[in-house]
Amino acid sequence: MKELTIGIDIGGTNTKYGIVDRSGQVVFQGSIKTTEFEDFRDYFKGLAIALRHAITQVKGDHKILGIGVGAANGNYYKGTIERATNLPWKGIIPLADMLKEEFNIPAIVTNDANAAAVGEMVYGSAKGMKDFIVITLGTGLGSGFVSNGHLLNGKHGIAGEVGHTSVNPAGRFCNCGKRGCLETYVSATGIRRTVYKLLADHLEDSELRGISFDNLNTKMITEAAVRGDIVALAAFEYTGRILGMKLAETVVHTDPEAIFLFGGLSLAGDLIFKPTIRHMEANLMPLFRGKVKVLPSGLQNQAAPILGASSLVWNYLDNEKDQLKEIVA
Ligand SMILES: [Zn+2]
């Protein structure tokens, strides 16, 4: 019988779900609109119907082993989503318990960046690595730490929030209520803010001049930089410098083998990797220099969030097996 897991990625606009095998092949996938359901109970009903339908679409003899969920503010220990600013529902939502009750299989919830880190370990380029960090560069900046083969969850299930460590205490205002957080500089939104600041401070011609802030996106900035646009190039250099300096601080905590960059901004390739690596090396404590690789994620495709979420189940089952082995030994 084929063993499969379900991965669900709850985003601010869409909820994507998929059924995935152990090798990371998505055998079925679909999505529902997150924004369509103002009440969480209605959303959950809609999601349960969609998942039941998805399961009937998988051919052959199979067994669904569990459900993994990645969502902003997902709490691994409690299985809850807590006060996520990008989702329509307020308060604390006991999603893992609800899924367990509905489908009678294990359900694991964590934040989307932690899911990306487990996904990298189970299916991606961190296979066989025990110490690494994944940095997700989307609208914000998320991070997941794996140390000695285990995802760091912390006491409250919210470990690994590098995006909200400080770059400049008097700097840009952040959604979290603080100022100068890393993600206000290094993220899709951050680089747009940088482009606007550079356009305001300098007089050079740029193809980005005249594009409204709402219309400006990472792809435009990348394409302009490839064509040699000086403002776009300066924006990448500035973004890479801040990320590199922050990574130089971050690695001293867990001594990782590699740091994987995932998501929109990382697709700019050398434009972001080169300044990031240069400034990381320049700022590293000498003991760490030349030891930490900065690499693109091995899961750069549309299904990555589903893979990350589904990987939580394999990881959970593997850990459970290890614990049983210890008891038997
Ligand atoms: Zn912040």
Side-chain angles (χ1 to χ4, degrees):
M1 195 179 319
K2 202 169 192 187
E3 296 188 324
L4 301 166
T5 62
I6 293 176
I8 304 170
D9 176 64
I10 305 180
T13 311
N14 293 306
T15 294
K16 295 175 190 156
Y17 55 87
I19 302 179
V20 185
D21 72 12
R22 189 66 173 86
S23 69
Q25 206 190 330
V26 181
V27 297
F28 184 88
Q29 63 176 309
S31 73
I32 59 170
K33 281 251 175 273
T34 311
T35 42
E36 230 167 61
F37 305 90
E38 264 176 53
D39 185 75
F40 181 76
R41 304 235 150 238
D42 294 335
Y43 168 81
F44 188 79
K45 266 185 219 157
L47 179 64
I49 291 167
L51 293 180
R52 287 196 193 289
H53 171 73
I55 293 166
T56 63
Q57 296 302 302
V58 180
K59 293 184 180 68
D61 216 9
H62 63 268
K63 189 178 177 207
I64 306 286
L65 299 182
I67 303 172
V69 183
N73 289 27
N75 187 303
Y76 178 80
Y77 294 124
K78 297 183 197 160
T80 54
I81 298 172
E82 302 192 11
R83 301 179 191 89
T85 48
N86 71 331
L87 299 177
W89 324 297
K90 301 299 157 230
I92 298 173
I93 293 157
L95 183 58
D97 285 345
M98 291 173 78
L99 286 169
K100 268 182 223 163
E101 198 171 309
E102 181 77 24
F103 292 95
N104 208 18
I105 47 178
I108 298 112
V109 172
T110 193
N111 83 48
D112 35 2
N114 284 350
V118 178
E120 203 68 50
M121 180 164 58
V122 173
Y123 308 121
S125 298
K127 266 186 204 166
M129 282 189 193
K130 291 197 144 196
D131 297 276
F132 66 94
I133 300 170
V134 171
I135 305 278
T136 64
L137 299 166
T139 314
L141 184 149
S143 55
F145 288 70
V146 170
S147 182
N148 200 21
H150 294 283
L151 181 70
L152 290 183
N153 287 299
K155 168 72 180 164
H156 307 99
I158 50 177
E161 287 288 352
V162 175
H164 298 282
T165 61
S166 182
V167 168
N168 173 5
R172 298 176 181 173
F173 288 91
C174 182
N175 283 329
C176 75
K178 298 202 317 156
R179 290 187 69 171
C181 293
L182 179 65
E183 81 166 24
T184 67
Y185 298 87
V186 184
S187 62
T189 318
I191 196 167
R192 285 160 65 212
R193 289 169 89 164
T194 299
V195 165
Y196 255 60
K197 175 139 180 35
L198 290 168
L199 288 172
D201 288 349
H202 298 273
L203 297 170
E204 275 77 8
D205 277 343
S206 167
E207 64 179 86
L208 301 175
R209 223 175 261 289
I211 298 172
S212 79
F213 186 76
D214 285 340
N215 286 334
L216 186 64
N217 62 42
T218 308
K219 194 162 168 263
M220 283 176 194
I221 304 167
T222 305
E223 286 170 0
V226 169
R227 284 191 283 269
D229 187 282
I230 191 148
V231 169
L233 286 167
F236 273 109
E237 170 63 26
Y238 183 81
T239 307
R241 172 156 65 92
I242 292 179
L243 178 58
M245 289 172 72
K246 180 55 80 179
L247 292 181
E249 282 181 9
T250 303
V251 301
V252 304
H253 299 291
T254 57
D255 180 18
E257 176 177 350
I259 298 165
F260 295 93
L261 303 185
F262 171 90
L265 206 50
S266 72
L267 300 177
D270 282 351
L271 285 168
I272 189 72
F273 278 85
K274 278 192 172 166
T276 300
I277 293 168
R278 191 169 73 249
H279 289 286
M280 182 183 85
E281 287 296 331
N283 287 281
L284 271 174
M285 180 189 171
L287 189 61
F288 284 87
R289 278 183 202 148
K291 289 185 178 143
V292 186
K293 291 172 273 193
V294 181
L295 303 167
S297 162
L299 295 180
Q300 302 276 32
N301 63 57
Q302 290 296 315
I306 291 170
L307 289 175
S310 75
S311 71
L312 297 167
V313 181
W314 302 115
N315 190 241
Y316 167 83
L317 297 172
D318 287 349
N319 285 342
E320 198 159 69
K321 250 182 235 160
D322 287 349
Q323 281 172 7
L324 283 175
K325 270 186 210 155
E326 268 173 41
I327 293 169
V328 175

